[in-house]
Amino acid sequence: MSIEGKTLLVTGANRGIGQALVTEALARGAKQVYCGTRKPLDHSDERVTPVTLDITDPAQIQGAASQIESLDILINNAGIMLPDVPFDPSVLDRHMAVNFHGTNAVTQAFLPALVNSGGAVITMMSVVALAPLPPFPSYSISKAASYSLTKTLRAFYGPRGVKFHAVLAGPIDTDMVRELQVPKATPQSAAQAIFDAVAKGEEDIFPDATVAPLAELYANSPDKILEQQFAALVQEAPASS
């Protein structure tokens, strides 16, 4: 799917990779970009429309869905990565509330519009969705759950024309991981790689040098083979919109 001429919604659009995705979408000729943020956002491009959107607030999600009548691409970027106390229920619950339940709620709210447009969902995840990073157990668990959600949605809504792309990123130089002393990709380079991969129809996107070598390996992995085999069990158009 090309970005040119499309209408997008980007959650968590005020900084980091979200901001970079907005900038890249505009550079690629997007028709309109809705920027979902918890705080007011000013943008000089007339194609940008700010939307107040806390993805854990059902009323704000419904308000955004009512405001955006048609949509080609939903980018689930909003997320959190908090200091962790391993297996502390309150920390895990907070990660799940945002990274899983919030992402799911936004996706469900816009699925009717995306079915209508034959659109796509791009969900920002992390390579820790494939294998947990022990210092960040709650974050890892929430991203694994979000990835499982994406694969399930593919099975049910793929036959109805909606594409689901999972971005399995390595470290990107944003506020979330700024203190980690590891090589990081820039948000700009990651945004470019993500849209390039979407244009090629790649379902699972490894957008930076740290994780790029995994792409071919994962495409032929037991996980991917099982996903495809299990998805074949879903009859065409089984989900209600």
Side-chain angles (χ1 to χ4, degrees), residues 9 11-12 53-57 61 74-80 94-111 114 121-125 139 142-143 145-151 153 164-167:
L9 167 62
T11 68
L53 182 55
D54 179 338
I55 69 169
T56 65
D57 187 327
I61 293 172
L74 167 63
I75 302 182
N76 288 313
N77 171 68
I80 59 171
R94 181 59 181 155
H95 280 91
M96 290 296 290
V98 178
N99 296 344
F100 176 75
H101 293 294
T103 296
N104 182 44
V106 172
T107 302
Q108 295 298 330
F110 285 97
L111 269 173
L114 293 166
V121 179
I122 303 169
T123 300
M124 289 298 304
M125 297 182 199
Y139 177 74
S142 67
K143 289 299 184 179
S146 181
Y147 188 33
S148 183
L149 171 66
T150 290
K151 291 186 284 187
L153 288 167
F164 290 86
H165 304 273
V167 181

Side-chain angles (χ1 to χ4, degrees), residues 16-229:
I17 185 65
Q19 187 178 59
L21 287 163
V22 171
T23 300
E24 185 65 20
L26 295 171
R28 294 186 183 221
K31 176 182 178 181
Q32 187 167 20
V33 181
Y34 291 95
C35 292
T37 61
R38 290 182 297 168
K39 298 179 180 179
L41 174 73
D42 291 325
H43 201 287
S44 59
D45 196 303
E46 62 182 10
R47 293 172 292 168
V48 170
T49 302
V51 177
T52 300
L53 182 55
D54 179 338
I55 69 169
T56 65
D57 187 327
Q60 289 189 10
I61 293 172
Q62 185 54 52
S66 298
Q67 178 181 348
I68 303 170
E69 296 182 354
S70 63
L71 187 67
D72 297 303
I73 301 172
L74 167 63
I75 302 182
N76 288 313
N77 171 68
I80 59 171
M81 182 180 182
L82 303 175
D84 211 343
V85 178
F87 310 110
D88 182 327
S90 65
V91 179
L92 178 57
D93 287 349
R94 181 59 181 155
H95 280 91
M96 290 296 290
V98 178
N99 296 344
F100 176 75
H101 293 294
T103 296
N104 182 44
V106 172
T107 302
Q108 295 298 330
F110 285 97
L111 269 173
L114 293 166
V115 169
N116 187 57
S117 66
V121 179
I122 303 169
T123 300
M124 289 298 304
M125 297 182 199
S126 166
V127 73
V128 304
L130 302 180
L133 188 62
F136 302 98
S138 295
Y139 177 74
S140 300
I141 291 166
S142 67
K143 289 299 184 179
S146 181
Y147 188 33
S148 183
L149 171 66
T150 290
K151 291 186 284 187
T152 305
L153 288 167
R154 278 178 189 159
F156 278 94
Y157 284 92
R160 303 187 70 179
V162 183
K163 303 294 185 184
F164 290 86
H165 304 273
V167 181
L168 300 161
I172 298 173
D173 192 14
T174 65
D175 292 344
M176 189 177 288
V177 297
R178 189 141 291 151
E179 294 183 1
L180 294 181
Q181 299 303 309
V182 296
K184 305 180 188 77
T186 65
Q188 295 75 20
S189 67
Q192 292 168 0
I194 289 165
F195 285 141
D196 286 347
V198 169
K200 296 175 184 176
E202 296 177 13
E203 290 185 336
D204 304 300
I205 299 171
F206 297 83
D208 56 274
T210 301
V211 297
L214 299 176
E216 184 175 353
L217 294 171
Y218 187 74
N220 298 291
S221 69
D223 284 0
K224 194 63 182 177
I225 293 169
L226 285 173
E227 178 193 345
Q228 294 167 343
Q229 289 178 344

